[in-house]
Amino acid sequence: MSAYELLVIGSGPAGIRAAASYAKAGGKSPIGIITADMDEPYMRPPLSKDSLVDGPPVEPTPIGPKVPKDAELRLSTHVTAIDLENRTVTAGGEQVGFGQLVIAAGATPVPFPEADADADIHLLRSLDDDRRLVAAAQRSKTAVVIGSGFIGCEAAASLARRGIDVTLVTPEPGPQQKRLGDYVSQQIASWLTDLGVDLHTETEVTHIDAPRTVHLSDGRTLAPDMILSAVGIKPLGGELAETAGLQTHEGRIVADEHLSAAPGVWVAGDSARGINVTAGRALDVEHWGDALQMGGLVGRNAAAASNGSGEEPESWKAVPGFFSDIGEHSIQYAAWGDGHESEKVVERTGGFTVWYTDADETVVGVLTYNADDDYERGSGLIAEGATLTEAVSGAQPQEVES
Ligand SMILES: Cc1cc2nc3c(=O)[nH]c(=O)nc-3n(C[C@H](O)[C@H](O)[C@H](O)COP(=O)(O)OP(=O)(O)OC[C@H]3O[C@@H](n4cnc5c(N)ncnc54)[C@H](O)[C@@H]3O)c2cc1C
C-alpha cells in the first residue's frame, strides 16, 4: 500500500495550491495528488473565453501554483472511498494511506434535465469538454446556449466572436439579473447583442429532442448545429465524504473556520462549505480566486498539523470574489453571495461601479467595470460592513482582508 503524509484529492486550483503551500510551509513528504482529470493541471477560466474564440488547437494554460517537485500526481484516477478510521482512500482499486487529507473535488455541470438521453448537448467544465466543444464549434454555423450565468454569457460571447450565430436562452428577464441586478444585466445584454448574440429572455427550453431540436416555452423550435447547456453545477466529493461519516450540506462538505472537516481532514474550493469568520457564517463559493485562496490556507494548516508545530491554524476570512470576461469586457465582483436589497450605480470614466447593499444600507457586494480602485477597496469595505455613503464617498477600508 502506498502512503502519503499529505494526500490531495483533485488537481484544480484548490488542490494544487494546497499541495504547493503545504510544501512551502515545510509539511512532511511524501505528497500525493490523485485526480480524476486526465490532463496535467490547467486553468479553467480560459475554457469559456479565449480557447473558444481561437481554438483549435486547445492549448491549456498551466495552473498558477506548480505541482511541488517531489509530489506524485496520479491522473485519470477516481477516489471512490475514504476510510477515516484507517486513514486510507480507495483509488484505482488500491488502498492509499494518508496522514493529512485535503478534499478539493470541485464540481461538475448539472446535465440539462429535459432532454432525450441521446441528445447532442455539450457541458463545459474540463479541458476535455472544451476539446469537444471546440471541435463542434469548428463544424457549426449556429449554436444555442442555455443559461445566462457567467459560463453561459462568456461562452455565448466567445462563440459569437468566432463567427457563429448564437442564441442564448434564459428564463431570467436579463442575463444574471437576479444575482447582479438590472443595471449590470442590461450592460451584459448589450455586450452580448453587440456581438450578435440573439437573446431569448424569460424563455425556457422545455425539451431537447435528439440530436439537436430545441423546443422553447414561447412555442418556437430551434435546430442549431451545436448546443451548450450551462444551467449550473453540482459539487463533487459530498457523497464520498458522507459515506466516510463527514457532515455535508447540499452536496458540499461542511467544515469549520479553519476549513477542517475532521482531525487532519481539510476541504477547499467548490466542494467546501466552510465558516467564513468575517461573514460569521458558512459560505458556498464557486470562484477560481477563492479556490486558490482556500487551498493555500488548508495547505498551511495541514503542514502545521503534520509537523506538530503547535501553530494556531489560520481561519478563512477573505471576502469571496470573481472576475468574468464577456467578449472584451472584464468585470470583477466581490460579495457575500446571498443577495442584496438595493444597488447604487456610480459612473466612472469608461466604466462603472455598482455597490450592493442590504436593507440597512450596509455594503454587501461590489461590481466594477474599468474601476479597479473601487474593486480594490471594495472587499475591505464589505469586510468591515461599511455604509453605502462611505463606499460612494471614496472612504478607504480600515483593514483589507486578503
Ligand atoms: C469554463 C469555466 C470558466 C470559469 N471562469 C471563471 C472565471 O472567470 N472566474 C472565476 O472566478 N471562476 C471561474 N470558473 C470557476 C472556477 O474554475 C472554479 O470555481 C474552480 O475551478 C474551483 O476549483 P476547485 O479546485 O474547487 O475545483 P475544480 O477546479 O473543479 O477541480 C476539482 C478536481 O477534483 C477532481 N475530482 C473530482 N472528484 C474526484 C474524485 N472522486 N477523485 C479524484 N479526483 C476527483 C477533478 O477531476 C478536478 O481535478 C470557471 C469555471 C469553468 C468551468
Side-chain angles (χ1 to χ4, degrees):
M1 179 179 96
S2 50
Y4 300 99
E5 288 289 343
L6 173 73
L7 177 61
V8 177
I9 304 175
S11 62
I16 297 303
R17 174 64 72 82
S21 74
Y22 173 92
K24 194 169 169 204
K28 286 187 199 157
S29 290
I31 301 170
I33 303 167
I34 299 183
T35 181
D37 219 306
M38 61 194 276
D39 290 287
E40 294 281 326
Y42 56 88
M43 303 255 307
R44 292 187 201 282
L47 303 183
S48 47
K49 305 176 181 74
D50 294 348
S51 81
L52 268 191
V53 182
D54 300 331
V58 179
E59 290 292 352
T61 316
I63 218 159
K66 290 217 168 70
V67 175
K69 266 197 217 100
D70 49 358
E72 192 188 333
L73 174 67
R74 298 193 196 180
L75 299 175
S76 303
T77 309
H78 277 83
V79 172
T80 49
I82 301 171
D83 179 344
L84 289 182
E85 212 178 296
N86 294 309
R87 300 198 82 72
T88 57
V89 303
T90 309
E94 191 200 331
Q95 298 298 109
V96 181
F98 62 82
Q100 303 289 314
L101 178 68
V102 171
I103 309 174
T108 190
V110 178
F112 188 75
E114 301 298 331
D116 288 351
D118 53 347
D120 179 16
I121 305 170
H122 290 268
L123 302 172
L124 178 57
R125 181 78 186 182
S126 67
L127 181 60
D128 205 40
D129 294 335
D130 206 46
R131 291 188 185 107
R132 283 189 288 270
L133 195 59
V134 167
Q138 271 192 293
R139 300 188 295 264
S140 298
K141 289 196 166 59
T142 57
V144 166
V145 175
I146 310 168
S148 61
F150 274 114
I151 294 194
C153 290
E154 289 182 354
S158 300
L159 292 171
R161 290 175 77 198
R162 208 185 162 97
I164 293 176
D165 283 342
V166 180
T167 303
L168 178 66
V169 184
T170 175
E172 288 196 88
Q176 304 187 56
Q177 191 268 351
K178 188 157 176 265
R179 185 187 207 179
L180 303 177
D182 288 336
Y183 184 82
V184 176
S185 179
Q186 282 158 18
Q187 295 290 326
I188 294 175
S190 72
W191 295 337
L192 289 170
T193 48
D194 284 352
L195 287 169
V197 175
D198 192 6
L199 267 181
H200 287 300
T201 54
E202 295 181 310
T203 309
E204 297 202 18
V205 172
T206 52
H207 198 268
I208 301 175
D209 302 334
R212 288 180 300 276
T213 304
V214 182
H215 299 280
L216 304 183
S217 53
D218 60 13
R220 276 177 303 167
T221 296
L222 305 170
D225 299 330
M226 64 183 283
I227 303 170
L228 170 65
S229 169
V231 296
I233 60 170
K234 169 176 144 0
L236 291 174
E239 279 170 31
L240 270 180
E242 212 167 74
T243 318
L246 298 173
Q247 197 189 337
T248 61
H249 177 87
E250 293 175 356
R252 290 191 163 80
I253 306 162
V254 172
D256 65 12
E257 69 273 25
H258 307 127
L259 301 182
S260 170
V265 179
W266 312 89
V267 295
D270 288 8
S271 57
R273 179 182 171 82
I275 302 283
N276 182 297
V277 290
T278 315
R281 60 183 184 278
L283 296 183
D284 302 334
V285 293
E286 298 167 358
H287 314 141
W288 185 266
D290 293 301
L292 283 174
Q293 205 267 338
M294 294 165 89
L297 187 152
V298 299
R300 289 187 293 278
N301 284 351
S306 88
N307 292 334
S309 67
E311 246 171 78
E312 270 297 297
E314 282 177 46
S315 298
W316 183 36
K317 50 190 177 191
V319 177
F322 66 76
F323 55 94
S324 176
D325 298 338
I326 297 162
E328 288 177 332
H329 305 280
S330 298
I331 53 181
Q332 301 182 87
Y333 176 68
W336 292 128
D338 36 18
H340 60 270
E341 279 294 316
S342 43
E343 56 189 88
K344 168 79 182 164
V345 180
V346 180
E347 296 289 346
R348 304 291 308 267
T349 313
F352 58 82
T353 296
V354 182
W355 297 101
Y356 299 96
T357 56
D358 65 9
D360 301 328
E361 294 225 323
T362 300
V363 175
V364 293
V366 63
L367 183 143
T368 63
Y369 172 60
N370 289 338
D372 290 352
D373 49 344
D374 278 345
Y375 185 75
E376 272 153 32
R377 65 195 187 90
S379 298
L381 293 173
I382 296 165
E384 73 182 39
T387 62
L388 177 63
T389 313
E390 288 167 328
V392 172
S393 71
Q396 292 300 319
Q398 310 273 313
E399 184 191 332
V400 179
E401 300 290 350
S402 59

